[in-house]
Amino acid sequence: MSIGKNKNFFAIYGLLYGATVWGIIWFPYRLLAESNISGVVASFYTYLIVLVIGIFVFSRQWRGMFKQPKTIVWLLLAAGWTNLSYVLAIIDGEVMRVILLFYLSPVWTLLLAHFWLKERAGLKEVMVIIVSLLGAFIMLSDASRPGQLPVPSSQSDWLAVSAGIGFALTNVITRKSAHLSLAAKSFAVWVGVVLLSLFGILFSNQTLSLPSTINPMDWGLLLFIALLLFSSTLLVQYGVTHMTAARASVIFLFELVVAAIAAYFLAGEAMTINAWIGGALIVSAAIYASTISDLG
């Protein structure tokens, strides 16, 4: 097998691995929630572990993190919120509903790129927005609430939407920050989640569980999640580095397949017909968006 084919194989594997991780990561987080370790506290500990691992793995690069330009702060906040809000949404909400609402992110990316990066939105881009929003409209429609507008109706819905917006903002900031290294971007994500989780703990009614109060089994879960997050970060970054953004975006939709199967067998969740129709429109728009623009 040639070097080029090897890179292509490992790039595809990296993206499929990342999609699988994000399709099942909700389950161990839910197990921790059942042990009274909230999503915010679990996120704090898992990303803190990831950060410590990253310091050792990137021991030569991390010292330079303090010399990064100011854009790293915005990336830290956007990426940190994306990951934290996604975890919080998927712990309490229906798995597929949360993921599909998150996949509205191409809409927000197109809008942000138009108004911030001054990238002109053409007819194709407008069609992506219309189809995505139509999908969300159908998916959020509830026959038991006639006359009410189909908008996010729960905290998990709003968190899922905000995670998608945060992901879009992360994409746009990344496009404006091509000078940032892979290590810098990875640390920005990890530090962002740790700081925002700590902020959430300090300014809410939650308390930070002391390490000594967490039983060994739960520590095992926290370490397991951290290893999944760290490895998926590296493999996904490798994948998107050696593959076009359009193809990478389509491959990463494998997350939906993994999540649907896992939600059915692990949580007994089944999608309604509205969710299937609306989700199909959202996914179709996401695939089409990946073919017309380098959205990351």
Side-chain angles (χ1 to χ4, degrees), residues 19-75:
T20 301
V21 166
W22 283 104
I24 63 172
I25 199 78
W26 56 271
F27 186 64
Y29 271 120
R30 284 190 180 182
L31 292 178
L32 289 169
E34 291 175 2
S35 295
N36 295 319
I37 300 177
S38 69
V40 177
V41 173
S43 294
F44 173 78
Y45 277 120
T46 51
Y47 277 92
L48 184 61
I49 295 171
V50 171
L51 186 58
V52 171
I53 296 173
I55 289 174
F56 282 101
V57 173
F58 299 107
S59 58
R60 295 183 179 179
Q61 291 96 337
W62 76 270
R63 294 179 182 84
M65 297 300 106
F66 301 101
K67 300 178 182 179
Q68 298 297 327
K70 293 181 180 178
T71 51
I72 196 78
V73 176
W74 297 112
L75 181 60

Side-chain angles (χ1 to χ4, degrees), residues 89 93-94 97-98 101-102 139-140 145 151-163:
E94 295 179 13
R97 183 181 178 95
V98 167
L101 286 174
F102 174 81
M139 188 175 70
L140 294 172
R145 297 183 301 164
V151 296
S153 58
S154 65
Q155 179 175 295
S156 60
D157 282 357
W158 285 111
L159 283 170
V161 172
S162 72

Side-chain angles (χ1 to χ4, degrees), residues 8 41 90 147 209 251 268 284:
N8 188 56
V41 173
I90 212 161
S209 304
I251 292 174
S284 298

Side-chain angles (χ1 to χ4, degrees), residues 129-166:
I129 294 174
I130 292 174
V131 172
S132 294
L133 293 179
L134 176 61
F137 185 91
I138 294 173
M139 188 175 70
L140 294 172
S141 297
D142 188 347
S144 65
R145 297 183 301 164
Q148 287 191 331
L149 288 175
V151 296
S153 58
S154 65
Q155 179 175 295
S156 60
D157 282 357
W158 285 111
L159 283 170
V161 172
S162 72
I165 295 174

Side-chain angles (χ1 to χ4, degrees), residues 94-116:
E94 295 179 13
V95 174
M96 289 304 296
R97 183 181 178 95
V98 167
I99 292 177
L100 288 169
L101 286 174
F102 174 81
Y103 269 98
L104 285 171
S105 56
V107 171
W108 319 127
T109 302
L110 288 171
L111 291 174
L112 286 169
H114 177 75
F115 290 106
W116 190 0

Side-chain angles (χ1 to χ4, degrees), residues 155-193:
Q155 179 175 295
S156 60
D157 282 357
W158 285 111
L159 283 170
V161 172
S162 72
I165 295 174
F167 184 67
L169 187 58
T170 301
N171 285 342
V172 174
I173 294 173
T174 301
R175 286 165 68 87
K176 290 179 67 71
S177 308
H179 53 285
L180 295 177
S181 67
L182 171 61
K185 293 174 183 177
S186 298
F187 272 100
V189 176
W190 302 333
V191 172
V193 179

Side-chain angles (χ1 to χ4, degrees), residues 220-235:
L221 276 176
L222 289 169
L223 180 59
F224 175 67
I225 295 172
L227 291 174
L228 286 179
L229 292 172
F230 182 78
S231 58
S232 66
T233 297
L234 298 185
L235 287 173

